[in-house]
Amino acid sequence: ALKTHAPYGVLSRSGFEVEKRAVLDANYAVFADIDNMHGLNARFGYEAVNGMIRDALKLRTDDLLLSGLWFSGDELVFVIRSDPAGFMDRVRESFAFYDIGITLAACPVENNDLNAAIDSAGRLGQAVKAKKIGR
């Protein structure tokens, strides 16, 4: 129970760190940053937004190996074994159903180095997000 972030139904950061050690067949790390989290919370309230995110994260799981929080409540990481474009499209569509934008970036896992792929996807995701908001 301590490994799970109950509001979203995904792994907590510490739970993710524990579970990722057992992943051997990952192809990509996908970094996700929920857009305008503060505005969403102000508009709908924290509990309602948590519920929308939890529901949006109910994704098809045949290619999803792990999902969990990363830096804060609006940043997530997915570890997948499929084409990242198709996966990211499904994530965007799922969040769009709840009128929530999400910035996504993927990097391949090379030499089974999941940490490097997550770090690279995170940097790329932050650069994409900065361009979106004009920084």
Side-chain angles (χ1 to χ4, degrees):
L2 294 176
K3 290 196 290 187
T4 302
H5 177 68
Y8 297 174
V10 297
L11 292 169
S12 65
R13 173 67 185 259
S14 57
F16 187 89
E17 292 289 349
V18 169
E19 294 298 321
K20 78 178 182 178
R21 293 183 289 185
V23 175
L24 300 175
D25 57 347
N27 297 110
Y28 288 89
V30 178
F31 179 84
D33 191 336
I34 298 168
D35 298 338
N36 191 25
M37 187 72 154
H38 296 293
L40 291 168
N41 285 329
R43 183 174 171 199
F44 299 109
Y46 291 93
E47 290 303 316
V49 172
N50 285 347
M52 291 187 295
I53 293 168
R54 181 176 45 253
D55 289 344
L57 287 170
K58 293 179 182 171
L59 301 165
R60 188 179 81 214
T61 59
D62 60 339
D63 57 349
L64 178 61
L65 300 172
L66 286 178
S67 58
L69 289 182
W70 198 242
F71 294 121
S72 63
D74 64 343
E75 296 164 327
L76 303 151
V77 172
F78 304 98
V79 178
I80 61 171
R81 61 172 168 228
S82 65
D83 168 44
F87 178 82
M88 290 189 304
D89 285 345
R90 289 195 327 268
V91 172
R92 277 189 205 95
E93 289 170 11
S94 186
F95 275 79
F97 180 81
Y98 296 96
D99 201 26
I100 299 173
I102 191 163
T103 301
L104 298 155
C107 284
V109 176
E110 297 174 352
N111 302 315
N112 207 35
D113 191 346
L114 193 49
N115 290 328
I118 292 169
D119 290 343
S120 294
R123 284 191 302 278
L124 180 58
Q126 291 302 312
V128 170
K129 182 97 174 203
K131 285 182 184 179
K132 282 172 82 172
I133 58 176
R135 285 193 205 171

